[in-house]
Amino acid sequence: MTAPSSAADRTDGTDRTDGTHGSHRTRSDRTGAGRTGSGWTGADRLPRPRPAYDAYTWKEIAHLLLNLPVAVFGFVYAVTALATGGALTLTVIGLPLLALSLLGARQLGKLERFRARKLLGVRVEEPTPLPLAKGGGPAQRLWMALKDPVGWRTLLYDAIRLPWGILTFCTVLVSLFVLWPVLPYLARGLANVDRALVRGLLSPSDELERRIAELESDRGVVVDTAAADLRRIERDLHDGAQARLVNLAMGLGLAKEKLLEDPDAAAAMVDEAHGEVKLALQELRDLARGIHPAVLTDRGLDAALSSVAARCTVPVKVSVDLPDRPAEAIEGIAYFTVSELLQNISKHSRARSAAIDVWRSDTRLLIQVRDDGQGGARLDGGTGMRGLADRLGAVDGLFVLDSPAGGPTVVTAELPWRDRKA
């Protein structure tokens, strides 16, 4: 009589399945799930044992024990700052003292964020520093410091931390001697409350910080764009109309000297000067159209875009569906955006046709310019696309470029809709 085979090796037959024909999974596969004679392997391996009091737990315990001295200092600072600053607001030094207290609270918040980062593993971004150097006069800098939300939130954090600091210090200290088996779990729960407080009161407002950064960037773009436009106008006047007017003055001076000696030559010079006047007037009209076309002011986007489309080297279909006219600034940006896109189509696209669609959707003005050219346009391709995207971004607009190699190219621009003032 032979001994029965082990449970790990028995399969109840050579190829017996669990009542399902065609399946090659045996009972040992179902019940063992990777278990061999030496134990568990693979995905079923149990997690490696970890000591309850590891370095991470001791960091949490250290943070909780430090809560009391830090909370006492913060509470004394907050109460003193608010009481002293509030009591002295009727005097000259009251508001400056409160402003200095708020700036000091920022430093306390920085210290707390550092402590949370090192001991709790909570990484909280530092708030944007106050631009006091650019705040103008002393009164403006004082008001900037007084309305600082970061400083006020830090004072609130310091004011409410004292009861919590006493609770965590006493709980952890007693648990070290009495409840040490459950102290790691207790410390984890208390530390999670600390993490929530740090994130809730000491982290900067993500939306506010993002908006401030966008506005600072957009302001720089607007300033750079305005300076570039002024330089362009100055260059066009200097190299174009001004040069022609100088030549005109010189020609008329020579014609005046030749008038009595050689009337025929003087007449020819006057005729040439007349032609210079016409060219100078045409250049001035083109320059004025580049600053702000008269047709846009008088008749709106539909007529202005039809006019600029007529000067394009490819046939352009224009469709403008607007219930009324937007604000002048938005209308001008939309016009010059389409004008520059059509110039790119004429110079680079090798297209046979193009189309312009302009419509309003709720609070947005949407522009779409399409062409059937060779495609391959990029924001960094040197065709002015990046400049258009920056200009639209400066007014809360969007610029989306879709131009695969081989075409077609579709450019979609969005602008905020603002009603035209009567």
Side-chain angles (χ1 to χ4, degrees):
M1 180 180 295
T2 60
S5 59
S6 64
D9 299 326
R10 187 173 60 246
T11 59
D12 296 336
T14 58
D15 192 19
R16 178 180 175 181
T17 63
D18 192 21
T20 306
H21 299 285
S23 173
H24 297 286
R25 185 182 181 188
T26 63
R27 179 179 297 179
S28 62
D29 294 327
R30 293 193 310 273
T31 58
R35 183 177 62 187
T36 65
S38 59
W40 294 82
T41 62
D44 295 307
R45 187 187 300 273
L46 291 175
R48 184 173 298 175
R50 180 176 63 89
Y53 287 92
D54 58 356
Y56 195 72
T57 301
W58 282 115
K59 286 182 178 181
E60 292 178 337
I61 294 173
H63 184 276
L64 296 171
L65 290 176
L66 286 174
N67 274 350
L68 181 59
V70 173
V72 169
F73 180 81
F75 181 80
V76 172
Y77 180 88
V79 171
T80 303
L82 293 175
T84 306
L88 296 177
T89 51
L90 298 178
T91 65
V92 178
I93 65 172
L95 291 179
L97 183 60
L98 184 58
L100 289 175
S101 301
L102 290 171
L103 294 177
R106 270 181 164 256
Q107 301 306 313
L108 291 180
K110 184 176 182 180
L111 176 62
E112 279 294 274
R113 284 187 291 271
F114 174 80
R115 191 166 69 100
R117 183 167 58 251
K118 292 299 182 180
L119 298 179
L120 298 182
V122 177
R123 184 167 297 277
V124 177
E125 296 295 331
E126 295 292 333
T128 302
L130 287 177
L132 296 178
K134 304 177 182 179
Q140 292 179 343
R141 289 196 292 268
L142 176 63
W143 177 243
M144 187 182 301
L146 287 175
K147 66 177 184 179
D148 177 27
V150 176
W152 286 109
R153 288 204 307 269
T154 306
L155 284 182
L156 175 62
Y157 176 86
D158 291 332
I160 66 175
R161 285 278 295 176
L162 182 58
W164 177 252
I166 296 173
L167 174 64
T168 55
F169 178 83
C170 296
T171 302
V172 173
L173 187 62
V174 172
S175 299
L176 279 173
F177 300 97
V178 179
L179 301 175
W180 62 266
V182 297
L183 179 57
Y185 306 100
L186 188 60
R188 179 62 50 83
L190 296 175
N192 285 337
V193 176
D194 267 337
R195 292 184 179 96
L197 287 174
V198 171
R199 290 193 183 101
L201 293 177
L202 297 183
S203 62
S205 172
D206 295 337
E207 182 65 23
L208 180 60
E209 291 292 318
R210 182 189 64 80
R211 186 59 180 159
I212 290 174
E214 286 182 355
L215 290 176
E216 290 178 349
S217 175
D218 293 346
R219 181 179 61 184
V221 171
V222 170
V223 171
D224 294 341
T225 301
D229 289 340
L230 288 176
R231 289 193 299 268
R232 177 182 59 82
I233 294 171
E234 180 183 7
R235 184 177 61 252
D236 292 344
L237 284 173
H238 182 272
D239 298 340
Q242 181 179 343
R244 291 193 180 278
L245 291 175
V246 170
N247 292 333
L248 173 62
M250 294 176 60
L252 289 177
L254 293 174
K256 182 180 179 180
E257 294 177 359
K258 294 282 187 179
L259 185 61
L260 297 178
E261 298 177 2
D262 191 353
D264 293 336
M269 290 180 179
V270 171
D271 185 63
E272 184 178 354
H274 184 255
E276 290 288 331
V277 169
K278 290 182 177 179
L279 291 176
L281 288 175
Q282 182 61 40
E283 288 182 356
L284 288 174
R285 290 193 191 98
D286 293 340
L287 182 60
R289 185 183 296 113
I291 298 173
H292 197 83
V295 65
L296 179 63
T297 303
D298 297 337
R299 300 173 58 187
L301 269 177
D302 195 355
L305 294 183
S306 298
S307 175
V308 73
R311 300 194 296 270
C312 188
T313 58
V314 301
V316 181
K317 179 182 178 182
V318 180
S319 174
V320 178
D321 183 15
L322 296 177
D324 47 11
R325 296 179 63 179
E328 294 180 359
I330 299 300
E331 195 174 59
I333 294 173
Y335 170 82
F336 288 111
T337 298
V338 174
S339 178
E340 188 160 346
L341 289 174
L342 289 182
Q343 289 181 15
N344 287 334
I345 291 175
S346 299
K347 295 178 182 178
H348 309 291
S349 71
R350 300 180 183 176
R352 291 172 294 180
S353 63
I356 303 170
D357 292 304
V358 181
W359 71 98
R360 177 182 178 181
S361 177
D362 294 330
T363 59
R364 308 291 285 181
L365 174 65
L366 286 92
I367 304 167
Q368 192 172 79
V369 179
R370 305 183 303 276
D371 69 78
D372 58 357
Q374 62 182 352
R378 303 190 311 274
L379 290 178
D380 57 350
T383 58
M385 294 292 187
R386 170 56 60 186
L388 284 177
D390 292 340
R391 292 187 184 187
L392 291 177
V395 292
D396 286 340
L398 294 175
F399 186 87
V400 180
L401 174 63
D402 181 17
S403 182
T409 297
V410 180
V411 177
T412 304
E414 288 189 20
L415 287 167
W417 179 276
R418 293 203 295 266
D419 293 327
R420 178 179 289 261
K421 295 181 181 179

